[in-house]
Structure formats: structure tokens, C-alpha cells
Amino acid sequence: MVTVLRIGHRIIRDKRITSHVVLVARAFGASRIIIAGEKDPSLISTVEKVIAEWGGFFELKMIPEDDWELFVKQWKKKDKFVIHLSMYGENLYDFEKSVSFKHLKNHSDELSKLLVIVGGKKVPGKVFQLADWNIAIGNQPHSEVSSLAVFLEHLMPDILQKMFEKAGKRIIPSVNGFKKFIKDDDES
Amino acid sequence: MVTVLRIGHRIIRDKRITSHVVLVARAFGASRIIIAGEKDPSLISTVEKVIAEWGGFFELKMIPEDDWELFVKQWKKKDKFVIHLSMYGENLYDFEKSVSFKHLKNHSDELSKLLVIVGGKKVPGKVFQLADWNIAIGNQPHSEVSSLAVFLEHLMPDILQKMFEKAGKRIIPSVNGFKKFIKDDDES
């Protein structure tokens, strides 16, 4: 399963954006996120609450901001690889046509080797050098939240129908749009 | 071209999330966003700066939060229709198979009739009733930023390669990932 690395987190400035990045990582099928930035207990409690309510396996780890580089270098030492998302690099639609992308898409067991990096407004230049692929989620400014979602959904195209195990409750999709829930107990 | 309505904006609480929603709307091909919430001049200046630098046509309008309902009702009066994105309703992947979605996707001239609503954490229940379609961008909590991006990209699948006119500068996609720019003047 995919690991996401978010470089940069300031509690006051980034509280909500980072928490949306975390939620996107989980909802779009990553199993782990590393936050390199200010230690922020509220992110841990966000994740704990979401898992209790909506299920699934998901891990959040915080490391000091400067440790991102060591983390990435160690990751790459173990035959693993790194994709960095931003507005620079190869367009996602071109990358999708590559053998590498198709291989990843068709070998979900290899997704555990993948680290996806998203930054904030300013990413250290070294990230571009260390990444195996720099992928542009378009060449217009938008958001690390949307970049991560769009990339993961291209990689795992059924992800928005994924079932999360051991959910406290689950929404039943329904055309009329109203909120229908079942508890996992109801299914037995 | 698509119009987006964002319901709810508090300057302090939502500053960055709303600005990411605005950037996503623009980058993923909408031509207009209506923000129903606290009047926030910084959003206008964000949009102005982005257009000056990256080009294209995009309009931002702010209305008082409670006026969202009147806006939606007037929209619907003119043979126009409303899609509301959240974690409730018909799954995006099912909606994509519908005649309505396919029609929209193949008739880009009709996209100007479309209003896409995204809310914040709590959306008035009436939104669900007024929307012609309530579409679930998956049934897990994530973000209005990612929901809007994923939906618009499904609707306009080449959008991440769209060229924006009259850009002050433009990024050249390049596999090595470094930042290469051209100015529009260079192209003449």
C-alpha cells in the first residue's frame, strides 16, 4: 500500500490543509502518511476519530521537518521509489502512458514500494532531484489536496468504491442523496 | 463553462481551504466561482494575481452566505441544473455511466448550464433537496478541494493539459522535473 510524505506543516498556518491532505491520503487508498513538520497532536486525533467512525487501516507518523531528506534517502536505499507531485515535471497524462506507471497500476502488490511526496507552497529544490519521477498534476497552481487525490485515483481507478473494514458506520450510496447509514453489525 | 458555488466561508477558519477550492475551480476548467460567505477581499486578490501570472478567464463573485439558496433557485429557473458534491448520494462512478453525465461530457457547450456545489463540513440539508444530482465522491470523508478536482477532471478528462490564454508565463512540461518557463512573448 502507498505511503505519502507531506513536506512542511505549521500548526496554525496549515492545520486544515494538512488535515485535508491526510483525509485524502486515507480516502484515496494510501495506508500511511508521514508529516514532516511541526508536531501536531490534533492531526493524530483527527485520524483516530476517522478510523473509529469510518474504518480501515491507516497510519500517521510525524517527523521533524528537516528529517524529510533522510527519510527519502533511506526509502530509496531499499529498492523503493519516489514520485513527487507538483505543477512541474512530466504531465500526469504522459506519465500514465509509461511502462512504469502501467506496471504499478497492474501490480498492486508493488504499491508498498511507492512513496508519493506532496509539498506545500514552497518545496526544497532537493525534492526534485531525489524524486525518481516529478509529475505535474497540470501546470497550473491548485492544491496539494487535489494533486494527491487526482494522482491516487488515476493509479487506483476504483478507489472511490473501496470498502473500509471495521467501519463504525457506512454510507449506502443512494440516488436521492439523503443520508443513509448502516452499521457493520446490520450486515451480519 | 462550468460555474462553482462554494457554500460557507469564514475568513479566519477557511482562508486557505477556500482559496484552494478557488484555485482548483480555475485549474480544472471552471470559469466562475461564487463564494457564499464572509466577504473576503484576499480571495479576490489571490484570483487577480493568479490570472496575471498564469492567464485564462476566471471570475470570482462573493455573496452573503444566506443568499446561496436564492442563487440556486434562480439558477434552476433558467433551464439550468445543479450537481452537489459530497460524500452522500450516487457514487461518481455510477453517475458517470448515466445518460445525463455522458451528454454533459460530450456537449461542452452545455457546461455553462451547470452549477457545481461544494460545501464545507456542514452543508444545509436543503442543498440536498435543491440539487438535481447529489454525487458522492466516494463515501469517505476527505475534502471539498479534492471532490471538486476529481469531479471536474472526470467531466473534462483532458483538463490537466488545458492551455490558459494570455499567461504571463507558462511551464514547459519536462521529464527531469526542473522549472522551465516560457513567456507568451517567446512564442511569437
Side-chain angles (χ1 to χ4, degrees):
Chain A
M1 303 296 279
V2 178
T3 298
V4 174
L5 169 64
R6 151 79 158 167
I7 298 180
H9 175 66
R10 300 276 175 282
I11 293 183
I12 291 169
R13 186 193 62 187
D14 299 324
K15 195 172 208 66
R16 295 191 63 222
I17 294 289
T18 304
S19 102
H20 285 219
V21 168
V22 169
L23 293 175
V24 162
R26 176 186 168 279
F28 288 79
S31 62
R32 199 156 66 120
I33 190 163
I34 317 294
I35 312 281
E38 268 180 36
K39 199 166 175 64
D40 183 352
S42 78
L43 287 174
I44 297 178
S45 74
T46 298
V47 166
E48 282 169 355
K49 271 184 220 159
V50 168
I51 291 175
E53 199 167 357
W54 301 104
F57 170 81
F58 188 76
E59 206 182 352
L60 180 143
K61 201 181 151 187
M62 274 181 266
I63 61 175
E65 181 153 350
D66 290 342
D67 286 4
W68 73 264
E69 192 176 339
L70 184 67
F71 182 85
V72 171
K73 284 180 173 168
Q74 283 176 340
W75 187 271
K76 289 181 70 174
K77 265 190 193 154
K78 300 175 205 152
D79 280 331
K80 293 177 168 183
F81 41 87
V82 174
I83 294 179
H84 171 222
L85 309 180
S86 72
M87 61 194 282
Y88 305 100
E90 189 176 5
N91 190 285
L92 173 63
Y93 299 154
D94 294 323
F95 182 53
E96 275 192 305
K97 294 172 200 150
S98 70
V99 176
S100 314
F101 187 90
K102 285 179 185 163
H103 179 85
L104 264 181
K105 199 166 163 177
N106 297 323
H107 295 79
S108 56
D109 52 312
E110 302 226 346
L111 289 179
S112 61
K113 296 183 181 173
L114 173 59
L115 180 68
V116 178
I117 302 184
V118 289
K121 243 188 173 173
K122 281 187 185 163
V123 167
K126 261 192 183 168
V127 178
F128 284 90
Q129 292 162 351
L130 286 171
D132 297 296
W133 291 282
N134 287 288
I135 306 303
I137 310 300
N139 297 121
Q140 296 292 324
H142 48 100
S143 169
E144 52 272 40
V145 181
S146 38
S147 292
L148 183 61
V150 167
F151 178 78
L152 291 176
E153 207 233 345
H154 278 251
L155 190 62
M156 296 173 278
D158 294 327
I159 201 66
L160 293 179
Q161 285 177 326
K162 179 184 168 180
M163 294 290 272
F164 286 72
E165 283 169 27
K166 296 188 183 166
K169 60 181 177 180
R170 193 166 279 168
I171 296 166
I172 311 173
S174 70
V175 174
N176 66 25
F178 293 103
K179 302 182 180 181
K180 294 182 182 170
F181 297 103
I182 40 171
K183 301 218 169 189
D184 265 14
D185 300 343
D186 303 345
E187 294 169 286
S188 58
Chain B
M1 304 296 280
V2 177
T3 298
V4 174
L5 169 64
R6 151 80 157 165
I7 298 180
H9 175 65
R10 299 278 175 280
I11 293 183
I12 291 169
R13 186 193 63 187
D14 299 325
K15 194 172 207 67
R16 295 192 62 224
I17 294 290
T18 304
S19 102
H20 285 218
V21 169
V22 169
L23 292 175
V24 162
R26 176 186 169 278
F28 288 78
S31 61
R32 200 156 63 122
I33 190 164
I34 316 294
I35 312 281
E38 265 180 38
K39 198 165 177 65
D40 182 352
S42 79
L43 286 174
I44 297 177
S45 73
T46 298
V47 167
E48 282 170 354
K49 273 184 217 157
V50 169
I51 291 175
E53 199 167 355
W54 302 104
F57 171 81
F58 188 76
E59 206 183 352
L60 181 143
K61 201 181 150 185
M62 274 180 268
I63 60 175
E65 181 153 351
D66 290 341
D67 286 5
W68 73 264
E69 191 177 339
L70 185 65
F71 182 85
V72 171
K73 284 181 173 168
Q74 283 176 339
W75 187 271
K76 290 183 70 175
K77 265 191 195 155
K78 300 174 202 152
D79 279 332
K80 294 177 166 182
F81 43 86
V82 174
I83 294 180
H84 171 223
L85 310 180
S86 72
M87 60 193 283
Y88 304 99
E90 189 176 5
N91 189 285
L92 174 63
Y93 299 154
D94 293 323
F95 182 53
E96 275 193 303
K97 295 172 199 150
S98 70
V99 175
S100 313
F101 186 91
K102 284 180 185 163
H103 178 85
L104 264 182
K105 199 166 163 177
N106 297 324
H107 295 80
S108 56
D109 52 310
E110 302 227 344
L111 289 179
S112 60
K113 296 183 183 173
L114 173 58
L115 180 68
V116 178
I117 302 183
V118 288
K121 244 186 174 175
K122 281 188 188 165
V123 167
K126 260 194 184 167
V127 178
F128 285 90
Q129 291 161 348
L130 286 171
D132 297 296
W133 292 281
N134 287 288
I135 305 304
I137 310 301
N139 298 121
Q140 296 292 324
H142 48 99
S143 169
E144 53 271 41
V145 180
S146 38
S147 292
L148 183 60
V150 167
F151 177 78
L152 291 177
E153 207 232 346
H154 278 251
L155 189 62
M156 296 174 279
D158 294 328
I159 202 66
L160 293 179
Q161 286 177 326
K162 178 183 169 179
M163 295 289 272
F164 286 72
E165 283 170 29
K166 296 189 182 166
K169 60 181 177 179
R170 193 166 279 167
I171 295 167
I172 311 173
S174 70
V175 173
N176 67 25
F178 293 104
K179 302 182 181 182
K180 294 184 181 169
F181 297 102
I182 41 171
K183 303 219 168 183
D184 265 14
D185 300 344
D186 302 345
E187 293 168 286
S188 59

